[in-house]
Amino acid sequence: MKTDPKNTRKPLAFYYVIAMLVLMLLNALVFPSLMSPRVREVSYSEFLTMIEEKRVQEVAMDTDQIVFTAQNAEGDVSIYKTGLWPDEKLVDRLNESGAQFTAAIPTQDSPLLSFITGWVLPIVFFVIIGQLMSRMLAKRMGGNAMQFGKSNAKVYVESQTGKTFADVAGQDEAKEALREIVDFLHNPDKYKAIGASLPKGALLVGPPGTGKTLLAKAVAGEAKVPFFSISGSEFVEMFVGMGAAKVRDLFKQAAEKAPCIVFIDEIDTIGKKRDGAQGMGGNDEREQTLNQLLTEMDGFDGAKGVVILAATNRPESLDKALLRPGRFDRRIPVELPDLQGRVAILKVHAKNVKMDAQVDFDTIGRATSGASGAELANIINEAALRAVRMGRDTVTQTDLEESVETVIAGYQRKGAVINEREKKIIAYHEIGHALVAARLKDAAPVHKITIIPRTSGALGYTMQVEEEERVLMSRADMLNQLVILTGGRAAEEVVFHTITSGASNDIEKATNVARTMITRYGMSDQFGMVALETVNNPYLSADTSLMCSQDTSARVDAEVQKMIAQAHDKAIEILTNDRDLMDRLAGHLLEKETITGVEFMEIMEKEDHQ
Ligand code: ADP
Ligand code: MG
Ligand code: ZN
């Protein structure tokens, strides 16, 4: 059973159309009779003419006007009025024409009718409009006025998410932990017999795109118990108190359906630390929602069989109260996949795509170090799209390699026009990186060099791929990295005796590497093993906060400059010594625009054997 009240909501435009129709109807029915002159005003001379023509039938005198009835040319009688004139002969003229004198001629409709048109109809009209508006408002806030603040939690039952653990590649530890929870819900007695009680809540934490939501959906697929799924942002409501009401309702539903699983995705939207710093109204609302969540989590006992799962990629921003024992006391890390994991994820997503028999996922896996599951899924899809574009019916290795670059560096900018001199500079720049990398001990081998510009703004790049998965970086590795990063600019200097803006990205990366070595990895002699910076959010952008005095910070800056300058000197030295080889490599790259690591090594070896 999956209820989604959103589908039954009528669009706002519907109510506007209704209101317009009512308005038009009223206008047509009521207003003409009110507005149209039932009493026609005529000039005094016209009045006299009518008397002369003996058309006037009845006449009444008011304080400031004369009201009379008269026939028109066709013989229809209507009511007229005209102003009073000092006319002494009027009575004689009227007598002569045979008109009747009366006390009064009603110039208005019956008082009842005018009361209805003047008062009752407008009120009815506004009441109807008001009702429509309030209903509309209630609908937009989810549910009609009677179910104010109902949660819109979708209830999933097994088959409906269509995902199982088989769809989640790698992440074995996470799957193991979740499997235990599922098992508990199936056989609670097994656990009770020994006296074990399961955690009430488990928190999936990890960088974006690593499959947290996917894992939760897979749990729903495996659990065979009701699975309530709601996203943290759905609690954030227009009115204070609504979010809390939704939480209350969600847990009420869950208690009725126990054993069951409640999944709160992106819990950081409501679970942020309550620091009260922002102080605005929105904060209040979030705080109330969070408090309600804490209360509800304390309120039911785990034995009932309600397990709460939540996911977040900013665990450090969560309120400490949420992480206390008895709440989300179990953390399930969902990390970026390692080589094995990446290959497994590629294979899972390749299952639905027609792949060439020669495809080697291992190479792709090695070229995508640091990629998330979502990015890997995207790489497979981009490759399939490329195969279609190329008019092929299977995906080849080239498609995959190209799509790795697309996902990492953006699409090729085929139309970009770059003049010969600039192209030459770019070629030497990239060869500078590659040659330095090849000459350094233990640097990762060059996989590909290209000077085809990308939509991301890159004018070319050199891709290195480690031969095997690395989890640690040594000081020597990082120093190598600095030399390789400065290699591009160094080549420009050695060959053209000029420097260009093309190295900006390298410079930024080099600065980050050097800084991290000093402030976080304790890799500088000057500062030793002291943490000078902390990372604010390990899973999202790597923004950091300084943990040292201003004075120290200035010395760190000086040290960063020194390290980069040393790396740069080393790159200049390597490239000056290998000038001939660099010319040959750059010439080859200019001609081919893209060369593979194998081609690159062939040219290198030929040179070395001479
Ligand atoms: P998160 O919630 O952690 O940000 P998602 O669960 O939304 O990430 O993952 C996005 C997509 O990436 C998934 O729909 C899936 O296609 C793919 N994906 C991520 N991790 C994996 C994995 N371990 N195995 C298979 N596919 C994955
Ligand atoms: Mg998610
Ligand atoms: Zn560069």
Side-chain angles (χ1 to χ4, degrees):
M1 174 186 67
K2 186 179 158 191
T3 47
D4 189 359
K6 280 186 195 113
N7 292 344
T8 59
R9 288 183 195 173
K10 296 204 173 64
L12 201 56
F14 175 80
Y15 295 100
Y16 282 124
V17 169
I18 294 268
M20 288 305 288
L21 281 178
V22 171
L23 215 77
M24 275 154 60
L25 215 70
L26 276 178
N27 211 11
L29 289 180
V30 179
F31 292 128
S33 58
L34 282 178
M35 300 298 184
S36 73
R38 302 178 62 81
V39 178
R40 248 175 273 167
E41 186 153 9
V42 292
S43 69
Y44 200 78
S45 50
E46 268 177 90
F47 174 51
L48 293 182
T49 318
M50 283 180 184
I51 296 172
E52 238 157 66
E53 289 172 359
K54 298 195 180 356
R55 280 160 50 198
V56 176
Q57 294 182 338
E58 287 181 307
V59 184
M61 201 72 83
D62 239 343
T63 47
D64 55 349
Q65 62 183 6
I66 300 167
V67 183
F68 61 98
T69 61
Q71 274 181 320
N72 61 13
E74 283 86 47
D76 298 326
V77 180
S78 3
I79 306 171
Y80 298 88
K81 66 177 183 185
T82 187
L84 274 178
W85 280 78
D87 182 354
E88 284 150 22
K89 294 188 193 141
L90 180 60
V91 178
D92 295 343
R93 284 183 205 180
L94 285 169
N95 268 332
E96 208 172 296
S97 75
Q100 298 274 314
F101 295 90
T102 46
I105 295 174
T107 57
Q108 252 140 34
D109 297 317
S110 76
L112 182 67
L113 196 63
S114 68
F115 175 73
I116 288 174
T117 53
W119 289 96
V120 180
L121 278 182
I123 289 173
V124 167
F125 173 72
F126 284 115
V127 167
I128 289 173
I129 290 285
Q131 287 244 321
L132 283 177
M133 297 270 276
S134 73
R135 215 176 293 172
M136 198 167 69
L137 207 64
K139 282 255 161 88
R140 303 194 86 200
M141 296 184 309
N144 62 39
M146 297 308 289
Q147 333 167 285
F148 210 65
K150 277 260 155 117
S151 76
N152 297 329
K154 300 174 202 85
V155 184
Y156 290 115
V157 182
E158 13 160 4
S159 61
Q160 260 163 348
T161 65
K163 302 274 184 225
T164 62
F165 281 146
D167 292 302
V168 189
Q171 307 296 1
D172 292 329
E173 295 85 358
K175 279 198 262 184
E176 200 48 52
L178 291 168
R179 216 173 255 131
E180 192 188 7
I181 290 172
V182 171
D183 187 52
F184 171 81
L185 293 176
H186 286 169
N187 321 299
D189 297 337
K190 193 169 85 183
Y191 291 81
K192 268 181 209 152
I194 206 168
S197 67
L198 213 72
K200 266 189 205 170
L203 187 63
L204 297 162
V205 296
T210 45
K212 297 182 294 297
T213 307
L214 181 67
L215 269 167
K217 283 187 183 161
V219 169
E222 302 271 338
K224 301 186 177 62
V225 296
F227 186 89
F228 297 84
S229 165
I230 190 162
S231 172
S233 58
E234 286 174 58
F235 287 117
V236 182
E237 286 286 347
M238 209 179 343
F239 298 118
V240 173
M242 289 279 288
K246 278 192 171 184
V247 171
R248 213 174 303 132
D249 181 67
L250 174 64
F251 280 85
K252 206 176 114 223
Q253 283 189 51
E256 284 163 8
K257 291 266 161 53
C260 67
I261 295 171
V262 175
F263 174 55
I264 306 173
D265 206 353
E266 317 281 351
I267 195 171
D268 42 278
T269 27
I270 48 167
K272 263 188 241 134
K273 285 193 185 91
R274 292 164 295 181
D275 48 15
Q278 285 106 348
M280 295 301 280
N283 218 31
D284 261 12
E285 160 66 349
R286 225 199 49 231
E287 226 164 85
Q288 277 196 22
T289 310
L290 174 58
N291 283 336
Q292 189 64 41
L293 182 64
L294 297 175
T295 313
E296 295 289 347
M297 284 191 78
D298 290 342
F300 65 82
D301 66 309
K304 250 199 218 154
V306 179
V307 172
I308 304 155
L309 289 182
T312 180
N313 42 33
R314 24 177 75 249
E316 76 297 327
S317 77
L318 287 183
D319 199 286
K320 289 280 169 290
L322 264 179
L323 306 172
R324 216 199 56 188
R327 288 168 185 159
F328 291 105
D329 42 12
R330 183 173 289 195
R331 260 188 191 228
I332 304 178
V334 187
E335 297 289 349
L336 288 172
D338 57 8
L339 174 58
Q340 233 181 343
R342 290 197 298 275
V343 172
I345 292 172
L346 286 169
K347 283 182 179 159
V348 162
H349 287 276
K351 242 186 247 157
N352 307 323
V353 177
K354 276 206 191 110
M355 287 281 167
D356 191 87
Q358 311 296 313
V359 163
D360 174 17
F361 289 110
D362 210 58
T363 317
I364 306 298
R366 277 193 290 118
T368 46
S369 171
S372 69
E375 281 165 328
L376 293 167
N378 193 13
I379 282 171
I380 295 284
N381 193 46
E382 284 288 341
L385 291 175
R386 184 171 187 272
V388 173
R389 238 181 286 134
M390 297 284 166
R392 270 187 266 105
D393 53 9
T394 53
V395 174
T396 63
Q397 187 75 11
T398 335
D399 292 330
L400 285 170
E401 302 235 338
E402 182 55 40
S403 82
V404 169
E405 288 173 49
T406 304
V407 170
I408 293 172
Y411 286 95
Q412 288 188 0
R413 261 169 60 204
K414 286 260 170 53
V417 183
I418 293 175
N419 72 39
E420 283 307 312
R421 180 179 157 75
E422 284 187 340
K423 216 166 153 184
K424 208 169 155 191
I425 296 178
I426 296 166
Y428 269 98
H429 177 109
E430 294 309 330
I431 290 296
H433 288 304
L435 188 51
V436 166
R439 286 295 184 224
L440 288 170
K441 198 167 154 280
D442 291 336
V446 172
H447 181 73
K448 185 171 188 171
I449 314 166
T450 171
I451 51 169
I452 297 171
R454 298 273 158 178
T455 46
S456 65
L459 295 169
Y461 62 86
T462 303
M463 198 167 146
Q464 286 172 270
V465 175
E466 292 278 2
E467 262 157 347
E468 37 190 340
E469 184 83 346
R470 306 277 301 265
V471 286
L472 289 176
M473 291 270 269
S474 69
R475 181 162 185 260
D477 291 335
M478 297 189 85
L479 288 174
N480 275 353
Q481 238 185 1
L482 286 182
V483 183
I484 295 166
L485 284 168
T486 52
R489 165 65 66 89
E492 294 177 22
E493 286 169 274
V494 168
V495 179
F496 302 97
H497 306 290
T498 174
I499 51 177
T500 69
S501 59
S504 65
N505 190 29
D506 299 334
I507 292 172
E508 195 179 327
K509 276 192 201 151
T511 311
N512 279 338
V513 170
R515 237 196 130 70
T516 323
M517 285 175 74
I518 300 167
T519 60
R520 285 169 47 210
Y521 298 153
M523 286 180 180
S524 89
D525 298 330
Q526 196 185 138
F527 297 96
M529 279 174 56
V530 176
L532 301 172
E533 255 177 13
T534 48
V535 181
N536 295 331
N537 190 327
Y539 294 133
L540 296 174
S541 66
D543 61 322
T544 52
S545 307
L546 228 51
M547 283 172 66
C548 57
S549 69
Q550 292 222 321
D551 179 48
T552 311
S553 167
R555 284 197 293 137
V556 168
D557 292 340
E559 181 77 357
V560 168
Q561 283 166 15
K562 200 175 106 197
M563 282 170 74
I564 293 176
Q566 278 170 358
H568 181 228
D569 287 346
K570 189 160 180 189
I572 296 259
E573 188 195 317
I574 292 173
L575 295 177
T576 316
N577 287 341
D578 261 335
R579 178 64 207 264
D580 288 349
L581 178 57
M582 179 162 61
D583 287 342
R584 215 161 314 132
L585 285 165
H588 193 67
L589 178 59
L590 263 175
E591 189 190 320
K592 290 278 197 67
E593 295 201 333
T594 300
I595 57 177
T596 63
V598 178
E599 286 175 81
F600 176 78
M601 285 317 292
E602 271 171 16
I603 299 174
M604 292 275 301
E605 272 155 24
K606 230 187 276 164
E607 168 85 10
D608 290 347
H609 288 146
Q610 272 171 8

